[in-house]
Amino acid sequence: RNDLLSYYPNPSTGTFHFQGAVDGDGPFLLRILDVAWREVDRVSLLPGQVSLDRTITRSGTYFFTVTAGGHLLQKGKLVVF
């Protein structure tokens, strides 16, 4: 399975760029979670091309998910140093 979004740089000083395409029925949701699974950021994505930056201000390890209708489409790990 191909990932919907690429994300870089990783590790980062805090700002990550997400890029790619999400197709199909939305709404799509990008969530960033800390290691205790607390949500630290969320953004709704419309179908089509995606290019956006998200900033995490505290160093540590984070996880992101992309979901549609409650179904997990992609997940990944982000590291902020």
Side-chain angles (χ1 to χ4, degrees):
R1 181 190 92 169
N2 291 334
D3 288 336
L4 302 171
L5 302 178
S6 59
Y7 49 99
Y8 56 88
N10 193 23
S12 168
T13 57
T15 299
F16 296 90
H17 183 73
F18 291 86
Q19 182 175 321
V22 290
D23 296 317
D25 294 328
F28 299 93
L29 183 63
L30 168 67
R31 297 175 66 215
I32 298 176
L33 310 154
D34 67 14
V35 293
W37 296 104
R38 290 181 296 242
E39 184 176 273
V40 296
D41 193 13
R42 79 165 37 207
V43 62
S44 294
L45 307 173
L46 297 174
Q49 292 296 314
V50 172
S51 180
L52 61 100
D53 291 330
R54 306 312 293 169
T55 299
I56 302 169
T57 57
R58 300 187 74 172
S59 62
T61 300
Y62 296 84
F63 303 95
F64 78 89
T65 61
V66 178
T67 57
H71 296 352
L72 180 66
L73 304 176
Q74 183 180 353
K75 63 183 177 180
K77 182 168 80 170
L78 305 170
V79 176
V80 178
F81 56 86

PDB file of all heavy atoms in Angstrom, residues 58-71:
ATOM      1  N   ARG A  58       7.177  21.361  21.163  1.00  0.00           N
ATOM      2  CA  ARG A  58       7.955  20.657  22.191  1.00  0.00           C
ATOM      3  C   ARG A  58       8.689  19.479  21.580  1.00  0.00           C
ATOM      4  O   ARG A  58       8.131  18.736  20.779  1.00  0.00           O
ATOM      5  CB  ARG A  58       7.042  20.169  23.304  1.00  0.00           C
ATOM      6  CG  ARG A  58       6.303  21.319  23.993  1.00  0.00           C
ATOM      7  CD  ARG A  58       5.562  20.851  25.175  1.00  0.00           C
ATOM      8  NE  ARG A  58       6.544  20.573  26.235  1.00  0.00           N
ATOM      9  CZ  ARG A  58       6.221  20.281  27.481  1.00  0.00           C
ATOM     10  NH1 ARG A  58       4.967  20.186  27.819  1.00  0.00           N
ATOM     11  NH2 ARG A  58       7.150  20.042  28.371  1.00  0.00           N
ATOM     12  N   SER A  59       9.939  19.289  22.006  1.00  0.00           N
ATOM     13  CA  SER A  59      10.715  18.159  21.492  1.00  0.00           C
ATOM     14  C   SER A  59      10.121  16.844  22.003  1.00  0.00           C
ATOM     15  O   SER A  59       9.470  16.803  23.041  1.00  0.00           O
ATOM     16  CB  SER A  59      12.183  18.286  21.901  1.00  0.00           C
ATOM     17  OG  SER A  59      12.309  18.265  23.300  1.00  0.00           O
ATOM     18  N   GLY A  60      10.324  15.791  21.238  1.00  0.00           N
ATOM     19  CA  GLY A  60       9.825  14.478  21.623  1.00  0.00           C
ATOM     20  C   GLY A  60       9.416  13.669  20.409  1.00  0.00           C
ATOM     21  O   GLY A  60       9.655  14.048  19.264  1.00  0.00           O
ATOM     22  N   THR A  61       8.776  12.548  20.683  1.00  0.00           N
ATOM     23  CA  THR A  61       8.282  11.652  19.644  1.00  0.00           C
ATOM     24  C   THR A  61       6.769  11.811  19.548  1.00  0.00           C
ATOM     25  O   THR A  61       6.080  11.848  20.571  1.00  0.00           O
ATOM     26  CB  THR A  61       8.642  10.199  19.973  1.00  0.00           C
ATOM     27  OG1 THR A  61      10.060  10.082  20.055  1.00  0.00           O
ATOM     28  CG2 THR A  61       8.127   9.242  18.904  1.00  0.00           C
ATOM     29  N   TYR A  62       6.287  11.882  18.338  1.00  0.00           N
ATOM     30  CA  TYR A  62       4.860  12.055  18.069  1.00  0.00           C
ATOM     31  C   TYR A  62       4.437  11.062  17.001  1.00  0.00           C
ATOM     32  O   TYR A  62       5.261  10.496  16.292  1.00  0.00           O
ATOM     33  CB  TYR A  62       4.573  13.491  17.593  1.00  0.00           C
ATOM     34  CG  TYR A  62       4.876  14.523  18.643  1.00  0.00           C
ATOM     35  CD1 TYR A  62       6.175  15.012  18.798  1.00  0.00           C
ATOM     36  CD2 TYR A  62       3.894  14.991  19.499  1.00  0.00           C
ATOM     37  CE1 TYR A  62       6.468  15.942  19.777  1.00  0.00           C
ATOM     38  CE2 TYR A  62       4.179  15.930  20.481  1.00  0.00           C
ATOM     39  CZ  TYR A  62       5.467  16.397  20.615  1.00  0.00           C
ATOM     40  OH  TYR A  62       5.755  17.310  21.586  1.00  0.00           O
ATOM     41  N   PHE A  63       3.142  10.878  16.889  1.00  0.00           N
ATOM     42  CA  PHE A  63       2.572  10.017  15.873  1.00  0.00           C
ATOM     43  C   PHE A  63       1.515  10.797  15.116  1.00  0.00           C
ATOM     44  O   PHE A  63       0.908  11.703  15.660  1.00  0.00           O
ATOM     45  CB  PHE A  63       1.945   8.770  16.507  1.00  0.00           C
ATOM     46  CG  PHE A  63       2.925   7.996  17.327  1.00  0.00           C
ATOM     47  CD1 PHE A  63       3.018   8.190  18.699  1.00  0.00           C
ATOM     48  CD2 PHE A  63       3.785   7.093  16.722  1.00  0.00           C
ATOM     49  CE1 PHE A  63       3.938   7.497  19.459  1.00  0.00           C
ATOM     50  CE2 PHE A  63       4.714   6.391  17.478  1.00  0.00           C
ATOM     51  CZ  PHE A  63       4.794   6.602  18.848  1.00  0.00           C
ATOM     52  N   PHE A  64       1.319  10.449  13.853  1.00  0.00           N
ATOM     53  CA  PHE A  64       0.224  11.063  13.111  1.00  0.00           C
ATOM     54  C   PHE A  64      -0.624   9.979  12.481  1.00  0.00           C
ATOM     55  O   PHE A  64      -0.153   8.873  12.200  1.00  0.00           O
ATOM     56  CB  PHE A  64       0.725  12.065  12.066  1.00  0.00           C
ATOM     57  CG  PHE A  64       1.268  11.445  10.814  1.00  0.00           C
ATOM     58  CD1 PHE A  64       0.437  11.162   9.742  1.00  0.00           C
ATOM     59  CD2 PHE A  64       2.609  11.127  10.716  1.00  0.00           C
ATOM     60  CE1 PHE A  64       0.933  10.576   8.589  1.00  0.00           C
ATOM     61  CE2 PHE A  64       3.123  10.543   9.564  1.00  0.00           C
ATOM     62  CZ  PHE A  64       2.273  10.267   8.499  1.00  0.00           C
ATOM     63  N   THR A  65      -1.892  10.319  12.270  1.00  0.00           N
ATOM     64  CA  THR A  65      -2.813   9.431  11.571  1.00  0.00           C
ATOM     65  C   THR A  65      -3.569  10.251  10.530  1.00  0.00           C
ATOM     66  O   THR A  65      -3.823  11.438  10.722  1.00  0.00           O
ATOM     67  CB  THR A  65      -3.832   8.771  12.520  1.00  0.00           C
ATOM     68  OG1 THR A  65      -4.619   9.778  13.157  1.00  0.00           O
ATOM     69  CG2 THR A  65      -3.140   7.915  13.562  1.00  0.00           C
ATOM     70  N   VAL A  66      -3.905   9.584   9.444  1.00  0.00           N
ATOM     71  CA  VAL A  66      -4.836  10.131   8.453  1.00  0.00           C
ATOM     72  C   VAL A  66      -6.007   9.169   8.406  1.00  0.00           C
ATOM     73  O   VAL A  66      -5.819   7.964   8.192  1.00  0.00           O
ATOM     74  CB  VAL A  66      -4.188  10.267   7.063  1.00  0.00           C
ATOM     75  CG1 VAL A  66      -5.201  10.802   6.051  1.00  0.00           C
ATOM     76  CG2 VAL A  66      -2.953  11.163   7.109  1.00  0.00           C
ATOM     77  N   THR A  67      -7.208   9.691   8.650  1.00  0.00           N
ATOM     78  CA  THR A  67      -8.402   8.850   8.674  1.00  0.00           C
ATOM     79  C   THR A  67      -9.478   9.440   7.763  1.00  0.00           C
ATOM     80  O   THR A  67      -9.462  10.627   7.448  1.00  0.00           O
ATOM     81  CB  THR A  67      -8.973   8.725  10.100  1.00  0.00           C
ATOM     82  OG1 THR A  67      -9.261  10.027  10.601  1.00  0.00           O
ATOM     83  CG2 THR A  67      -8.009   8.018  11.035  1.00  0.00           C
ATOM     84  N   ALA A  68     -10.390   8.582   7.363  1.00  0.00           N
ATOM     85  CA  ALA A  68     -11.592   8.991   6.632  1.00  0.00           C
ATOM     86  C   ALA A  68     -12.735   8.136   7.133  1.00  0.00           C
ATOM     87  O   ALA A  68     -12.643   6.908   7.119  1.00  0.00           O
ATOM     88  CB  ALA A  68     -11.412   8.815   5.127  1.00  0.00           C
ATOM     89  N   GLY A  69     -13.772   8.784   7.624  1.00  0.00           N
ATOM     90  CA  GLY A  69     -14.924   8.038   8.132  1.00  0.00           C
ATOM     91  C   GLY A  69     -14.577   7.069   9.236  1.00  0.00           C
ATOM     92  O   GLY A  69     -15.164   6.005   9.341  1.00  0.00           O
ATOM     93  N   GLY A  70     -13.572   7.412  10.038  1.00  0.00           N
ATOM     94  CA  GLY A  70     -13.155   6.549  11.130  1.00  0.00           C
ATOM     95  C   GLY A  70     -12.217   5.425  10.718  1.00  0.00           C
ATOM     96  O   GLY A  70     -11.772   4.654  11.560  1.00  0.00           O
ATOM     97  N   HIS A  71     -11.890   5.311   9.438  1.00  0.00           N
ATOM     98  CA  HIS A  71     -10.981   4.271   8.945  1.00  0.00           C
ATOM     99  C   HIS A  71      -9.576   4.830   8.826  1.00  0.00           C
ATOM    100  O   HIS A  71      -9.373   5.904   8.240  1.00  0.00           O
ATOM    101  CB  HIS A  71     -11.423   3.744   7.593  1.00  0.00           C
ATOM    102  CG  HIS A  71     -12.749   3.042   7.605  1.00  0.00           C
ATOM    103  ND1 HIS A  71     -13.443   2.726   8.739  1.00  0.00           N
ATOM    104  CD2 HIS A  71     -13.505   2.581   6.591  1.00  0.00           C
ATOM    105  CE1 HIS A  71     -14.555   2.117   8.434  1.00  0.00           C
ATOM    106  NE2 HIS A  71     -14.628   2.019   7.127  1.00  0.00           N
TER     107      HIS A  71
END
